[in-house]
Amino acid sequence: VDLTYVAFRVVGLRGSDLRAAGGVVYQAAREAFAKTDEYVRVYPRAEGQRLFEFALPTSSELSPAEIAGNGIFLVDLKAVDASGNERHESVIAYSGDDIEEEAYDLWATPESVLFTSLFDSVTIVPHVDFQFRGVTPLAAGARGVSFRSSDPESVRVTSEGVVYPLVETAGEFFVTVSYPGLPDYDIPVKIDMSRSLSALKAVGLGDDGAFTLERLNEPRELPRVVGIFDDGTEAALSSRFDVEFLLDEGAEGLLEILEGRHLVAHAPVEPSDSLHLRAQLSESPDVFAEVPVVAYDAAPSVELSVAETVVAGEELHLEASPGDDVGIKSVRFEMNGLKIGQRTQAPYGLTIEIDEKFVHQTLTFAAIAVDTRDQAVRSLEKTVRVLPPAASDAPAVEITSPKSLERFVEGGPIRYEVAYYAGKRAERSNISIVDFYVDGAPIGNVTYPIFETRPSPDGMTKGQWEVWRLNQVVPAISVSETSRAFHAVLHTSSGGSGQTGSRLYRVIKDKPPFARIVSPSNGSYATVGQTLPVEIEFSDDTLEAGLEVALLISGRVHELLHYRGEDLASSGDMSVRTSRRTFTVPIEEQMLGSSVELIARVVDQGGARMESDPVLVSVRGDSPPQVAISHPVSGAHVTAGMPLEIRVDATDDVRVKRVDFYVDGA
């Protein structure tokens, strides 16, 4: 009866990507065709509403076949009522009937096997051409794959595809690879102990006979090598032959072999550079193959994200996602073929205001990415339809927080606030609910305002303001500094709505907290029975949001303080605040003769942790107190019947408990 909102968190995956990632959702999510970074809230628009929906845009298109048999959604749902009660549900759904894909073709490598020793063995790798995954090598023991030998008494093959000979007699055999629904694939196997290996040959090269790296700084698996035997026969190398790869001396700084399995190029290599990759047998370097290497600096790529519609007079945000194998020099934005802005560093975004003269027009936007070699590529064009401003009975409000271009720290508190001037009397306007948006995405809503006395718009008097306020935490960012655009949508009791203008604010990267022990100093002493005060100074750029401060003694937490942002002082940086607190440490008998290690540890709201330099305090025993009579002096004369003042100087390394006075031993 009092449902406040329903929240969706969705990840849309291709079933083929999930299989390729071995079922690990975290890895497959990198290729998600649709997802929400956080929960998306959907609010009821009518009393008793029972169906809630929202449109989730896709980052890449799915073919009808993929929708029917390759789309899977992981959905987290949350319903919240007015009392804050929550109900959670997790659902797995398909975009079609299932996520089964067809297998089109089967083959395996190596294409042939020649055994020249009973100690040889070769591993067969099946390849299946799937409907969505394309050509996929199947790991040993993959489901559905099976192997059989035409003569198990002469050639044995395991369920993992390992083939080895059992007899020395020369002969020809076959190993058959099977996969459900596909024709079998036969691999010829020969046993001939008289053959010897004379050379190597790299396979899978380009038409020019070179091993080509299409992109820089992107490792590519080294080419597969087969053996050439003394009769000219080509066959796969058995496991007893160890092949190593070497580069020409002139390749240093240009090419690099990674862990003996991959080759990476750090700079372009032209065919005229004559650089080679040498494959040779470790035990017989004279058996080798030399392969020319060519590497290219690939052109950049770029995708443009922009809303499909915009209301005239509002701001439109363009977001480009460029990529390159070396680096991006700049991203240029165009509207209707004309340059409207350029960015030379991330984030590659641009916010423009759409003039009312474009009402009912369709604008065309594109992004041009330029890499460090001045290679340029243009994104697919995106069209945006400009809508006229909607008529609204919502009153005019002011955005009172955040201020324009105000800076906030990720993980720190932020207040979103709009206010309506109600005059001298605190009477409600016709606003019934306010939705808050950041960069066009909903972040929450407020269903009831508060009233505050503030200066009137003219600044001459004071009046009542109807304030709609939402307190939140600034989300994390991946760059050192970026901007966010905030606006609010007002809904009235008559069913109308209105929208505020957009307000930009800045978000900076969270700096780690800092702590130090002010006192005692390192190397000082403490006495058994003493209560040692330990003063800790700590600072953070989100200190007002709270901080966890702990005093550690010899690695164990002695006292923990949850600081809540009181008594803040600036440390010079506008985003960093500093405070101090004093902890007490009883010096106990068991500490005698040891050194106590004191460390201050702080953890900020974002989970960043820092520990201070350790302070060592030596614990010693309680020394006897020292006492001396300072008045009267020795030999002084006093008068009988007159008051006598006696002054004593008494000191102790802990504290003086009392002083007893004696005259003539009594």
Side-chain angles (χ1 to χ4, degrees):
V1 297
D2 58 349
L3 190 66
T4 301
Y5 64 84
V6 174
F8 297 77
R9 185 169 61 187
V10 184
V11 178
L13 305 172
R14 290 176 172 84
S16 53
D17 290 337
L18 190 58
R19 291 190 188 95
V24 180
V25 174
Y26 173 77
Q27 294 182 2
R30 300 172 183 172
E31 305 297 330
F33 62 81
K35 67 177 179 178
T36 60
D37 294 328
E38 301 293 340
Y39 275 105
V40 174
R41 297 182 179 183
V42 179
Y43 301 93
R45 297 301 184 188
E47 191 71 27
Q49 178 176 332
R50 300 188 63 82
L51 179 64
F52 295 81
E53 62 182 32
F54 81 102
L56 178 62
T58 59
S59 58
S60 59
E61 293 186 2
L62 275 73
S63 66
E66 286 184 302
I67 294 174
N70 198 32
I72 182 172
F73 292 92
L74 311 179
V75 187
D76 291 325
L77 300 170
K78 179 170 63 174
V80 181
D81 66 14
S83 301
N85 300 311
E86 296 186 5
R87 172 70 179 270
H88 293 258
E89 190 82 20
S90 294
V91 178
I92 296 178
Y94 300 130
S95 60
D97 296 331
D98 53 41
I99 54 171
E100 294 297 326
E101 60 179 334
E102 294 184 32
Y104 294 142
D105 197 9
L106 167 69
W107 68 94
T109 55
E111 298 175 355
S112 63
V113 177
L114 172 62
F115 289 122
T116 60
S117 169
L118 288 177
F119 301 103
D120 289 351
S121 66
V122 172
T123 300
I124 296 175
V125 179
H127 295 72
V128 177
D129 185 4
F130 288 105
Q131 180 182 9
F132 302 120
R133 279 179 284 176
V135 177
T136 304
L138 300 183
R143 188 181 67 173
V145 177
S146 61
F147 306 89
R148 68 178 183 274
S149 171
S150 61
D151 185 355
E153 301 300 324
S154 301
V155 175
R156 184 69 55 85
V157 59
T158 69
S159 59
E160 285 77 29
V162 180
V163 184
Y164 54 93
L166 298 177
V167 297
E168 297 184 8
T169 307
E172 294 187 6
F173 310 92
F174 289 93
V175 168
T176 301
V177 185
S178 302
Y179 189 82
L182 295 176
D184 292 343
Y185 185 83
D186 293 331
I187 299 175
V189 178
K190 294 183 179 181
I191 300 177
D192 190 343
M193 303 302 173
S194 65
R195 304 276 184 92
S196 61
L197 190 64
S198 60
L200 301 180
K201 178 182 177 181
V203 296
L205 306 179
D207 295 337
D208 57 356
F211 185 62
T212 302
L213 301 171
E214 301 290 347
R215 300 178 63 85
L216 302 182
N217 301 311
E218 187 172 291
R220 181 183 172 186
E221 190 170 355
L222 291 166
R224 190 166 59 90
V225 176
V226 299
I228 300 178
F229 292 84
D230 51 6
D231 64 348
T233 304
E234 294 183 9
L237 293 174
S238 63
S239 58
R240 69 187 177 94
F241 293 110
D242 184 20
V243 179
E244 62 179 350
F245 291 88
L246 303 172
L247 289 170
D248 292 339
E249 293 184 359
E252 185 176 356
L254 300 178
L255 301 173
E256 181 183 4
I257 296 177
L258 301 179
E259 299 178 352
R261 299 176 57 189
H262 295 85
L263 182 66
V264 61
H266 300 296
V269 178
E270 302 293 340
S272 58
D273 292 338
S274 300
L275 293 181
H276 292 83
L277 176 70
R278 180 185 176 96
Q280 64 183 31
L281 294 183
S282 300
E283 66 276 10
S284 301
D286 55 331
V287 179
F288 66 92
E290 282 201 346
V291 183
V293 178
V294 178
Y296 297 104
D297 183 354
S301 62
V302 62
E303 293 184 1
L304 179 64
S305 299
V306 63
E308 295 181 355
T309 61
V310 64
V311 176
E314 296 181 359
E315 291 182 335
L316 179 68
H317 186 67
L318 310 175
E319 188 72 34
S321 302
D324 189 63
D325 53 358
V326 178
I328 293 296
K329 182 178 180 180
S330 66
V331 174
R332 185 171 68 251
F333 296 91
E334 291 184 355
M335 183 180 76
N336 293 344
L338 300 176
K339 179 181 176 181
I340 56 174
Q342 180 172 300
R343 293 290 182 266
T344 57
Q345 61 183 11
Y348 299 99
L350 182 68
T351 301
I352 61 173
E353 185 172 340
I354 303 301
D355 196 278
E356 293 188 1
K357 67 182 181 182
F358 295 116
V359 169
H360 300 304
Q361 295 187 28
T362 298
L363 305 178
T364 301
F365 294 90
I368 295 90
V370 182
D371 68 7
T372 53
R373 294 192 68 195
D374 291 329
Q375 298 181 104
V377 66
R378 183 185 181 89
S379 71
L380 294 176
E381 291 186 343
K382 296 293 183 71
T383 57
V384 178
R385 189 159 48 93
V386 182
L387 306 176
S392 172
D393 60 346
V397 298
E398 294 183 13
I399 297 179
T400 52
S401 180
K403 303 297 182 185
S404 180
L405 298 180
E406 185 176 359
R407 293 210 306 170
F408 296 88
V409 180
E410 63 171 355
I414 185 171
R415 171 172 292 177
Y416 301 102
E417 184 181 277
V418 297
Y420 165 70
Y421 181 61
K424 296 296 183 182
R425 301 176 62 184
E427 295 182 355
R428 282 283 305 268
S429 68
N430 65 340
I431 302 174
S432 59
I433 187 171
V434 177
D435 292 330
F436 294 85
Y437 292 80
V438 173
D439 287 345
I443 59 170
N445 76 335
V446 180
T447 57
Y448 202 85
I450 60 174
F451 283 87
E452 291 184 355
T453 301
R454 298 180 180 180
S456 61
D458 59 13
M460 304 299 292
T461 60
K462 289 188 175 183
Q464 296 298 312
W465 288 80
E466 181 181 294
V467 180
W468 300 81
R469 177 182 296 163
L470 179 68
N471 294 319
Q472 285 206 336
V473 174
V474 181
I477 59 176
S478 58
V479 293
S480 59
E481 184 171 351
T482 187
S483 62
R484 293 284 185 264
F486 158 69
H487 76 273
V489 176
L490 318 175
H491 302 278
T492 64
S493 54
S494 62
S497 64
Q499 181 171 315
T500 67
S502 184
R503 173 70 55 83
L504 289 177
Y505 64 90
R506 306 293 294 173
V507 180
I508 61 176
K509 195 73 177 173
D510 182 22
K511 299 177 182 177
F514 174 78
R516 71 183 183 97
I517 296 178
V518 179
S519 66
S521 59
N522 190 36
S524 58
Y525 292 91
T527 304
V528 173
Q530 175 186 2
T531 298
L532 179 67
V534 179
E535 186 176 13
I536 298 176
E537 180 181 85
F538 47 90
S539 61
D540 189 45
D541 49 8
T542 58
L543 194 56
E544 62 274 13
L547 194 75
E548 181 184 276
V549 186
L551 174 63
L552 280 63
I553 298 180
S554 300
R556 304 187 59 153
V557 176
H558 169 70
E559 189 174 349
L560 186 65
L561 167 68
H562 294 283
Y563 181 79
R564 293 304 177 196
E566 311 91 353
D567 307 326
L568 295 180
S570 174
S571 65
D573 186 333
M574 63 173 291
S575 61
V576 178
R577 300 292 182 266
T578 302
S579 188
R580 291 188 180 190
R581 285 296 183 270
T582 299
F583 298 78
T584 57
V585 179
I587 305 300
E588 301 173 346
E589 185 72 32
Q590 59 265 30
M591 299 179 181
L592 180 63
S594 65
S595 292
V596 177
E597 182 186 65
L598 305 176
I599 294 177
R601 185 181 68 196
V602 288
V603 182
D604 67 9
Q605 288 295 301
R609 176 189 301 250
M610 182 270 178
E611 291 186 353
S612 69
D613 293 332
V615 170
L616 295 178
V617 177
S618 300
V619 179
R620 59 188 180 185
D622 187 8
S623 302
Q626 304 296 318
V627 62
I629 299 174
S630 59
H631 186 274
V633 298
S634 179
H637 292 81
V638 296
T639 303
M642 297 297 293
L644 174 62
E645 179 184 9
I646 303 175
R647 291 198 299 270
V648 174
D649 295 331
T651 59
D652 189 64
D653 51 4
V654 180
R655 66 183 180 89
V656 176
K657 181 177 181 181
R658 73 170 187 271
V659 177
D660 297 330
F661 294 84
Y662 293 81
V663 175
D664 289 342

